[in-house]
Amino acid sequence: PDTEPPPCGEPPPDYELIADNAFYCPSDDIIAWDAASFLPEVNETFGGFTVAIVIAHEFGHAIQARAEAFDRTVDLELQADCFAGAWTGRVTAGDAGGFAPSDVDLDQTVAGMTAIRDIPGTDPDEAMAHGSGFDRVTAFQDGYENGAGACAPYADELEDRDTVEVPFQTEEEFQSEGNLHLEDRGPDDPGLLSLLVTDLNEFYTVLFEDLGQSWAPVDDLVLVDPASESIVCGGEEFEGPDLEGAAVFCEDENVVVLDGSGLVPDLNRIGDFAVGAEVGRLWAQAAQLQLGVADEARAGLQADCLMGVWSISLSPGNTTTPESNLTTSAGDLDEAIQGFLAYGSALDDEVGTIFERVDALRTGYRDGYRGCEEYGPLG
């Protein structure tokens, strides 16, 4: 606020126009940032390497200027995320002077990119659109895994890039921020939990048919209160602290059990699909048990991948599970990622890092269930 503005056009921009931001100025070929709040806050909240990724993103715009790339704003922003991912892959490989692979914190990157996403409901055609959290992390992971060459097709004037960023479809959806009430409100107004049971059983019926198998539906989704209730799971009784944060498929009883007084309300504060994603992961575990692949080394990531396959089946207009009337809305996949960030660390030993889990979700969403065989066979 108290320094001369960076040289970028005449007149140069006032501080108020660039506060809490970093940007590339093509006319003067400079990268500038708010040194008073933006980068210090990124550094404090998400760590130093996330600061480096912000700058790498701006270098992506410098590449675009040299290549004379032209496209929608959101496509160019996602391409810059892809370039930042490609550079991060170079650091991870030990090929970047001044950085060591140990500097890379990919889970913090996911947290940072999700935090600076567009507001859910943003139209991807808006002039300042940058993408949803899922879109941004997906682009970053594309560059990270496949190198800078994979980023070139992002800038294609003839075809808009496929993103999950969509506007809210109705005024009711806008007012509710796309969130559905959890519990049933009557026979004609089912809640999210009831719809999840119907939809997931229907989805796996279809998927198992494709695999030449027969799906045995999960009987129920049970919420428990650790303070006053107990459950039997695997023939063993659990109560009290053992149920705090519980999220488990009980094979012998054929039910999914969730901590209904702690975990579910916490996830629902993030958004309804944070709840849906956790339930979807547990249904995937039930499917893995039926297929005999639950003991594979990467079964946890495969469950996240299958949850991604189920997520695409919920896209508006998709008729994979027509009887449930359950569809995703703006920001839902971001809610799944935020649920990973909030509760994924407790699962790291058996599932994987947050970055790996989001990558598995992306694989299922983009490549279908055959893509999930990257993590092990599906029978």
Side-chain angles (χ1 to χ4, degrees):
D2 56 358
T3 61
E4 289 295 319
C8 183
E10 289 294 339
D14 293 332
Y15 173 76
E16 288 73 19
L17 293 175
I18 57 177
D20 297 317
N21 206 352
F23 69 97
Y24 168 72
C25 178
S27 63
D28 290 84
D29 199 35
I30 63 165
I31 292 168
W33 59 88
D34 179 356
S37 61
F38 179 56
L39 287 192
E41 289 176 2
V42 169
N43 183 55
E44 181 177 351
T45 306
F46 303 110
F49 194 76
T50 306
V51 173
I53 288 171
V54 170
I55 302 301
H57 171 98
E58 301 306 331
F59 265 89
H61 290 311
I63 294 170
Q64 292 165 341
R66 286 153 173 76
E68 298 182 349
F70 182 79
D71 209 331
R72 290 188 307 172
T73 298
V74 71
D75 296 334
L76 295 176
E77 293 297 338
L78 293 175
Q79 186 181 54
D81 288 334
C82 183
F83 283 131
W87 174 76
T88 303
R90 183 168 179 264
V91 176
T92 302
D95 296 330
F99 290 90
S102 59
D103 294 328
V104 178
D105 190 335
L106 296 174
D107 285 3
Q108 286 282 58
T109 299
V110 172
M113 298 191 86
T114 305
I116 57 176
R117 62 178 177 156
D118 288 339
I119 297 171
T122 298
D123 190 321
D125 291 328
E126 287 186 14
M128 296 302 292
H130 280 55
S132 70
F134 180 83
D135 291 326
R136 300 199 67 175
V137 176
T138 289
F140 180 90
Q141 289 182 325
D142 191 10
Y144 181 85
E145 294 175 0
N146 301 309
C151 309
Y154 281 59
D156 179 357
E157 298 176 49
L158 301 179
E159 185 176 354
D160 291 340
R161 187 154 187 84
D162 182 25
T163 70
V164 303
E165 182 165 69
V166 293
F168 290 119
Q169 302 301 304
T170 65
E171 179 63 24
E172 180 183 5
E173 195 176 63
F174 172 77
Q175 293 296 333
S176 69
E177 297 182 338
N179 290 313
L180 182 65
H181 52 88
L182 285 177
E183 305 286 353
D184 296 348
R185 294 177 175 172
D188 297 325
D189 191 9
L192 174 67
L193 300 177
S194 296
L195 290 172
L196 286 171
V197 174
T198 300
D199 190 277
L200 282 159
N201 279 330
E202 187 178 350
F203 169 76
Y204 278 105
T205 297
V206 174
L207 189 150
F208 270 50
E209 287 175 356
D210 286 349
L211 292 171
Q213 304 284 338
S214 180
W215 168 250
V218 175
D219 287 339
D220 202 2
L221 168 60
V222 179
L223 302 188
V224 297
D225 183 350
S228 59
E229 296 177 301
S230 64
I231 62 161
V232 175
C233 184
E236 185 177 352
E237 186 172 3
F238 295 90
E239 61 182 356
D242 290 335
L243 293 178
E244 293 177 1
V248 62
F249 171 65
C250 299
E251 182 179 9
D252 293 347
E253 294 74 19
N254 196 33
V255 295
V256 163
V257 176
L258 292 171
D259 172 2
S261 63
L263 177 65
V264 170
D266 286 350
L267 289 173
N268 198 46
R269 277 188 281 273
I270 295 171
D272 62 353
F273 204 68
V275 177
E278 183 59 24
V279 174
R281 182 182 71 87
L282 296 172
W283 242 263
Q285 290 182 354
Q288 291 172 313
L289 285 164
Q290 291 190 32
L291 292 169
V293 300
D295 293 329
E296 294 289 331
R298 306 177 77 196
L301 290 174
Q302 187 182 69
D304 285 326
C305 183
L306 289 170
M307 190 265 288
V309 182
W310 167 64
S311 299
I312 189 66
S313 79
L314 300 174
S315 299
N318 195 316
T319 57
T320 303
T321 54
E323 295 181 12
S324 76
N325 295 319
L326 189 66
T327 60
T328 50
S329 61
D332 273 354
L333 288 170
D334 291 3
E335 292 168 5
I337 295 173
Q338 290 170 317
F340 289 174
L341 289 164
Y343 286 95
S345 59
L347 300 169
D348 284 353
D349 290 341
E350 61 179 272
V351 178
T353 66
I354 303 300
F355 190 78
E356 290 171 328
R357 295 191 68 190
V358 174
D359 191 40
L361 169 66
R362 174 178 73 106
T363 298
Y365 192 87
R366 297 295 185 188
D367 299 336
Y369 72 85
R370 289 302 181 191
C372 300
E373 294 193 316
E374 169 186 332
Y375 304 99
L378 284 172

